[in-house]
Amino acid sequence: MKNKNATDTLNEMIIVQKMIYDNDLEQLKLQFEVAYESVKPINFVKNLFREVTVSPEIKNNLLSNIIGFGTGLISKKLLLGFTHNPIKKVLGTLFEFAVANSVSKHSDGIKAIGGNLFKRFFNKNKTNKNLLS
């Protein structure tokens, strides 16, 4: 058997280091691809939406804010209608935010009342249908 000289050993070490380098480079490319995909706006929105749908606390707060915003917007339109007066628009916006803020803070009670009204409405329709049958 042939004895290894220093050049053969060095060549083997170079080949091993090149294999390690190629493997590390491939891993770095994969990590870069994952990072690049995660910072795309659409993926960011998807991940945010996924987190919102999983967390019950965020769902409840989001629902409260949506109810508040919707109530504020409806109350502004009912109170002022469509106006071109800039002072009325500013006052209407302030009123909208005040109503939205108070409704979002007390949304649990409003949801309970709305749920009761919803149940009464649909139960009344069911009893009316049963009476007509």
Side-chain angles (χ1 to χ4, degrees):
M1 205 164 152
K2 186 176 173 185
N3 287 338
K4 288 187 177 180
N5 62 15
T7 307
D8 292 336
T9 306
L10 187 60
N11 285 337
E12 286 177 9
M13 290 174 57
I14 289 172
I15 291 171
V16 168
Q17 287 300 318
K18 188 170 183 172
M19 290 171 58
I20 292 172
Y21 172 81
D22 290 342
N23 186 25
D24 288 348
L25 182 64
E26 188 64 32
Q27 293 296 321
L28 183 63
K29 286 179 182 178
L30 290 173
Q31 287 177 349
F32 177 77
E33 184 67 29
V34 168
Y36 178 73
E37 288 295 319
S38 70
V39 297
K40 284 184 177 178
I42 189 71
N43 291 334
F44 182 72
V45 170
K46 284 180 185 177
N47 291 337
L48 182 65
F49 183 73
R50 190 175 304 121
E51 287 177 17
V52 167
T53 57
V54 170
S55 171
E57 183 179 314
I58 293 175
K59 272 192 222 178
N60 193 23
N61 289 340
L62 184 64
L63 184 60
S64 298
N65 289 336
I66 289 171
I67 290 170
F69 179 72
T71 306
L73 187 64
I74 290 169
S75 63
K76 176 184 170 186
K77 292 301 175 189
L78 288 175
L79 183 67
L80 296 176
F82 294 98
T83 182
H84 296 291
N85 187 344
I87 295 172
K88 283 185 177 180
K89 283 184 178 182
V90 169
L91 291 175
T93 303
L94 291 174
F95 178 72
E96 176 184 351
F97 284 125
V99 168
N101 189 22
S102 86
V103 167
S104 67
K105 286 182 181 176
H106 305 291
S107 65
D108 292 332
I110 293 170
K111 283 190 259 186
I113 292 169
N116 288 337
L117 290 174
F118 189 75
K119 285 178 186 176
R120 277 190 190 173
F121 177 73
F122 282 106
N123 285 338
K124 186 181 279 188
N125 284 342
K126 286 181 182 179
T127 55
N128 287 342
K129 286 181 183 178
N130 289 338
L131 292 175
L132 293 174
S133 297

